[in-house]
């Protein structure tokens, strides 16, 4: 017998979908705002569409007006209908203008665009159980990923995550050897190097274009031989004797995370620490039916699981693996102790010894 249609629930669900569709349709226009400098220009003060077009470099006023009205309809900028002026609130500027803000989201919009572009490749994976090699997804996914994570790293690595580890910050201040495994374009490595000038850092990543970008970021900053970047898969790192190994948002992307854990155990110095930063998640899927879980499950479907399944073993942990499963992986690598050192709204920090 067919279930009776609940009109009130239907209307509520369609209302939710309208909000979601509006957000999806905002992705290209928001990216235009970043790319054309419109948010930065609006941060200088309230403006009419004509003012804003001139301020952003003599753009076409008609396009700028439509763009600004679209942002106002989304609530991304403010609009005064009496004066026909647009403006940014301090809160909106935190998201769209201030690059070191913990909630600066330019990278997130680029990440979404890359996910959409890669849809045909991932669709093929659904049919054949294959994967998509990191860097082959779409556009500059690795650049977008680096930009997406950078605000969180800027506001947490030195301020919260490393201090939460047992005795590690003191080691770094005295001088320690650090491996940043899965370093991507190197933001995390360079943030640590700036904060702990007595220590030495090596960033490792299996994706050569990411390492090239990391070296470009490091060039001209006077690190000398204290900071370097090398192309290497986690299981193939030959160097050893590290006092600290860091992994930021990458263990779950690896095809063989257990083999990786065993290698981290081998290359750690006696008494060393492995810090694993992973997306925050509960151990049961039901625990992750949240706005943050929604973001991570979608990104995991399009990026994390295809990346893992492209590699050997292809465990496919996914971005919502949870502490219990991650801890099992780490213990399989030979670590006797693992604890959650700290957490935030988007990440949890595990400390393994």
């Amino acid at each position: 017998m067919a279930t009776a249609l609940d009109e009130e629930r239907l209307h509520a669900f369609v209302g939710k979908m309208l909000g979601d569709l509006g957000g999806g349709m905002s992705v290209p226009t928001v990216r235009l705002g970043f790319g054309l400098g419109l948010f930065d220009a609006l941060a200088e003060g309230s403006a009419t569409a004509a003012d804003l077009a001139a301020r952003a470099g003599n753009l076409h006023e008609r396009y700028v007006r439509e763009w600004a009205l679209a942002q106002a309809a989304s609530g991304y900028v403010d609009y005064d209908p009496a004066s026909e002026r647009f403006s940014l609130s301090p809160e909106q500027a935190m998201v769209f203008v201030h690059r070191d803000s913990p909630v600066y989201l330019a990278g997130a919009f680029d990440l979404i665009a890359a996910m959409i572009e890669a849809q045909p490749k991932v669709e093929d994976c659904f049919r054949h159980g294959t994967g998509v090699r990191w860097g082959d997804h779409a556009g500059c996914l690795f650049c977008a990923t680096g930009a997406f994570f950078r605000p969180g790293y800027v506001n947490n690595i030195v301020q919260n995550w490393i201090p939460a580890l047992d005795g590690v910050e003191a080691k770094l201040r005295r001088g320690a050897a650090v491996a940043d495994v899965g370093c991507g374009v190197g933001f995390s490595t360079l943030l640590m190097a700036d904060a702990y000038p007595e220590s030495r850092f090596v960033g490792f990543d299996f994706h050569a274009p990411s390492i090239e970008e990391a070296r470009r970021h490091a060039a001209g900053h006077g690190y000398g031989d204290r900071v370097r970047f090398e192309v290497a898969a986690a299981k193939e790192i030959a160097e050893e004797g590290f006092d600290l190994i860091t992994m930021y948002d990458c263990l779950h992307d690896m095809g063989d995370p257990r083999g990786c854990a065993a290698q981290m155990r081998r290359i750690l110095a006696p008494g060393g620490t492995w810090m694993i930063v992973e997306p925050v998640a509960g151990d049961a899927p039901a625990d992750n039916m949240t706005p943050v879980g929604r973001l991570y499950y979608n990104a995991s479907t399009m990026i994390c699981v295809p990346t893992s399944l492209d590699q050997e073993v292809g465990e496919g942990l996914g971005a919502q693996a949870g502490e219990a499963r991650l801890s099992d992986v780490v213990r399989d690598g030979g670590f006797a102790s693992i604890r959650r050192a700290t957490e935030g709204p988007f990440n949890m920090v595990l400390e393994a010894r």
Side-chain angles (χ1 to χ4, degrees):
M1 182 176 178
T3 303
L5 186 68
D6 185 322
E7 293 287 342
E8 186 174 341
R9 289 186 66 186
L10 173 62
H11 291 152
F13 184 62
V14 171
K16 168 187 160 47
M17 291 305 303
L18 288 174
D20 289 351
L21 289 169
M25 289 185 177
S26 296
V27 170
T29 64
V30 168
R31 294 183 76 219
L32 283 172
F34 284 119
L36 294 169
L38 285 161
F39 290 118
D40 288 339
L42 194 55
E44 296 174 19
S46 68
T48 64
D51 294 336
L52 185 56
R55 196 183 291 170
N58 294 317
L59 301 178
H60 195 286
E61 185 272 340
R62 183 65 187 89
Y63 281 110
V64 170
R65 174 177 170 78
E66 206 73 0
W67 174 87
L69 288 169
Q71 307 318 301
S74 293
Y76 298 166
V77 308
D78 293 332
Y79 175 60
D80 177 21
S83 65
E84 296 192 336
R85 298 184 74 84
F86 301 90
S87 60
L88 273 176
S89 70
E91 296 77 21
Q92 291 162 342
M94 288 285 283
V95 171
F96 295 114
V97 177
H98 301 310
R99 285 155 179 76
D100 286 345
S101 156
V103 291
Y104 182 68
L105 292 178
F109 287 91
D110 288 342
L111 196 61
I112 293 167
M115 287 166 58
I116 293 169
E117 186 182 341
Q119 179 189 327
K121 295 179 180 179
V122 177
E123 187 174 322
D124 191 63
C125 294
F126 271 69
R127 293 190 172 95
H128 303 290
T130 51
V132 181
R133 188 171 302 278
W134 180 249
D136 288 350
H137 286 257
C140 188
L141 174 65
F142 67 93
C143 301
T145 301
F148 172 69
F149 284 122
R150 182 184 178 277
Y153 295 166
V154 166
N155 288 277
N156 285 290
I157 289 177
V158 175
Q159 301 90 329
N160 300 311
W161 296 345
I162 288 177
L165 305 176
D166 186 14
V168 169
E169 187 170 42
K171 283 186 181 180
L172 293 175
R173 296 202 183 282
R174 290 194 301 268
V178 182
D180 189 13
V181 178
C183 67
V185 296
F187 290 141
S188 53
T189 318
L190 298 180
L191 286 167
M192 293 188 292
D194 286 338
Y196 305 108
E198 299 302 316
S199 291
R200 303 178 311 283
F201 297 85
V202 188
F204 295 101
D205 202 284
F206 78 151
H207 186 237
S210 291
I211 290 298
E212 291 171 10
E213 187 75 1
R215 288 170 177 163
R216 187 184 67 78
H217 287 148
H221 286 274
Y223 295 114
D225 60 2
R226 194 170 65 82
V227 178
R228 56 190 170 85
F229 292 96
E230 306 293 345
V231 177
K235 287 170 57 177
E236 298 170 359
I237 296 171
E239 300 177 45
E240 56 186 34
F242 293 104
D243 301 297
L244 172 66
I245 296 173
T246 58
M247 276 193 185
Y248 296 100
D249 294 291
C250 64
L251 182 62
H252 67 272
D253 291 319
M254 295 184 180
D256 183 13
R258 298 172 197 274
C260 167
Q263 181 67 358
M264 297 306 101
R265 180 68 185 84
R266 283 191 289 271
I267 68 175
L268 264 181
T273 300
W274 180 19
M275 179 174 78
I276 307 145
V277 178
E278 280 286 303
V280 71
D283 291 324
D287 299 331
N288 303 322
M289 299 295 111
T290 65
V292 172
R294 180 189 186 191
L295 293 177
Y296 282 141
Y297 273 129
N298 279 287
S300 190
T301 301
M302 300 302 295
I303 301 171
C304 307
V305 170
T307 295
S308 178
L309 266 58
D310 176 71
Q311 302 169 57
E312 61 173 340
V313 181
E315 181 155 341
L317 284 173
Q320 294 288 268
E323 182 178 359
R325 193 171 178 195
L326 290 166
S327 297
D328 180 64
V329 166
V330 172
R331 289 192 186 96
D332 270 4
F335 287 86
S337 170
I338 181 167
R339 71 179 182 97
R340 186 183 297 214
T342 189
E343 64 181 78
F346 301 107
N347 291 95
M348 58 181 169
V349 180
L350 304 180
E351 178 184 34
R353 291 179 173 273

